[in-house]
Amino acid sequence: MLAKTSKLILKKKHKSKIVCLTAYSKNIAEEIDSYTDLILVGDSLGSVLYNFDTTRKVNLTMMIEHSKSVRKGVKKSLMIVDMPFNTYKNKSQALKNCKKVMKETKCDGIKLEGGKKIIDIVKHLVKFKIPVMGHIGIMPQSVRGKFKYKGKTNTEKNKLLKDSKSLEEAGVFAIVLECIERKLSKEITDSINIPTIGIGSSNFCDGQIMVTDDLLGLTDTKIKFVKKYADLKGSVKNAVKKFKLDVKKGSYPSIKYSY
Ligand code: KIV
């Protein structure tokens, strides 16, 4: 049985595009919540906030603490938490850790990276009523070196088609398709009855997700699929420059800002 909230996302397939974004803290979650269907506390926080060279360095405590903060800002969207590397190696470890995350963060579900390899674990979690979101294509927890797109060869293509079908059969409520070739992302989307959420995988997907810090221009990423919708780095610089000038001149704090 899927939780009510995950069912709502499922229903959107073929009806309206699903809007998803990441958040790592309350302030951002609060601002994006009215516009999103799903907010992911992604383990991308490892590279975005902690400057790690891999998401493998993110641990459960970090995910839980950031998620607790995000929870305070999410009122309407579905809140999903990424399970970090090495926290779902087998059925019992996965269930124990997912239950802990669900209980401590009050999230609506979790996300795991992997296809057929993790099917028994997914089935086990679903059996114990944990709403699970899948993630295939580029899987940052397994990637070493440069990120490339997936679906170039027939072998890769068949594997991804099988992975998505297996995940659907195992009971995930949606699947993130990361950097999957355009036509293949359409083929996957058309071949399953659960929503696909693309990141670098074409507008054929049922929804899209982006790292909010990238979208806002808070990172220096040059990844092809990232479209910057704002220049917050520039805004921060300008604001701080003005503050510095005011402090140096002694014009801040003026009487208006004093007791
Ligand atoms: O960790 C993350 O933020 C993600 C998404 C971008 C899909 O997995």
Side-chain angles (χ1 to χ4, degrees):
M1 256 293 275
L2 269 179
K4 207 172 98 200
T5 35
S6 330
K7 267 193 193 157
L8 290 177
I9 294 282
L10 225 150
K11 270 192 181 166
K12 285 189 185 270
K13 187 165 174 107
H14 307 306
K15 290 199 182 87
S16 67
K17 294 274 188 187
I18 303 163
V19 181
C20 315
L21 281 172
T22 60
Y24 313 131
S25 67
K26 171 190 160 277
N27 290 356
I28 290 287
E30 216 163 46
E31 293 315 313
I32 65 178
D33 188 41
S34 335
Y35 308 98
T36 50
D37 298 302
L38 183 152
I39 293 179
L40 172 74
V41 187
D43 63 353
S44 51
L45 62 83
S47 43
V48 177
L49 299 184
Y50 293 88
N51 213 24
F52 293 163
D53 54 355
T54 164
T55 55
R56 286 183 177 218
K57 293 182 183 163
V58 175
N59 62 38
L60 205 59
T61 310
M62 293 162 81
M63 291 309 296
I64 290 175
E65 291 312 313
H66 281 281
S67 300
K68 281 187 196 165
S69 170
V70 170
R71 180 73 276 172
K72 294 191 171 89
V74 181
K75 299 281 175 286
K76 76 161 243 306
S77 302
L78 190 65
M79 179 183 150
I80 302 299
V81 175
D82 249 344
M83 292 303 291
F85 181 63
N86 265 348
T87 60
Y88 52 101
K89 285 187 287 187
N90 55 57
K91 290 198 251 183
S92 59
Q93 185 213 31
L95 184 61
K96 183 173 153 254
N97 286 331
C98 289
K99 273 187 171 170
K100 183 177 163 74
V101 168
M102 299 278 302
K103 188 170 172 225
E104 291 187 25
T105 72
K106 309 219 171 0
C107 66
D108 300 299
I110 55 89
K111 176 165 83 60
L112 303 180
E113 290 183 11
K116 264 195 137 175
K117 253 190 184 169
I118 61 156
I119 285 305
D120 287 343
I121 294 167
V122 173
K123 282 184 185 160
H124 190 63
L125 296 175
V126 172
K127 190 170 117 191
F128 282 89
K129 300 192 177 3
I130 310 267
V132 179
M133 187 177 195
H135 182 153
I136 58 171
I138 294 287
M139 294 180 287
Q141 289 176 13
S142 323
V143 172
R144 294 203 175 264
K146 272 205 156 188
F147 286 22
K148 292 190 183 121
Y149 74 92
K150 293 275 181 189
K152 282 175 264 178
T153 63
N154 274 342
T155 321
E156 229 170 56
K157 189 177 151 182
N158 292 333
K159 185 183 175 305
L160 287 165
L161 280 163
K162 274 188 195 149
D163 278 347
S164 48
K165 200 74 206 155
S166 308
L167 284 168
E168 178 185 26
E169 284 164 6
V172 303
F173 68 88
I175 309 179
V176 169
L177 305 185
E178 180 159 353
C179 296
I180 292 182
E181 188 269 332
R182 224 178 132 70
K183 279 191 199 143
L184 177 58
S185 66
K186 175 169 175 18
E187 212 177 316
I188 294 173
T189 302
D190 291 345
S191 69
I192 54 178
N193 294 308
I194 51 170
T196 56
I197 309 296
I199 173 156
S201 297
S202 91
N203 52 359
F204 292 122
C205 296
D206 299 301
Q208 298 294 327
I209 185 160
M210 238 174 112
V211 169
T212 304
D213 293 58
D214 289 342
L215 174 151
L216 294 178
L218 276 168
T219 66
D220 291 321
T221 185
K222 299 278 185 295
I223 302 175
K224 181 178 162 76
F225 63 77
V226 170
K227 180 172 174 186
K228 295 197 179 185
Y229 287 82
D231 173 27
L232 283 205
K233 260 196 176 202
S235 304
V236 169
K237 263 188 204 147
N238 280 337
V240 173
K241 259 190 221 163
K242 284 183 193 159
F243 172 70
K244 180 180 171 178
L245 211 68
D246 279 1
V247 172
K248 295 280 188 195
K249 282 193 303 197
S251 60
Y252 177 84
S254 57
I255 290 173
K256 184 182 170 194
Y257 297 100
S258 308
Y259 296 100

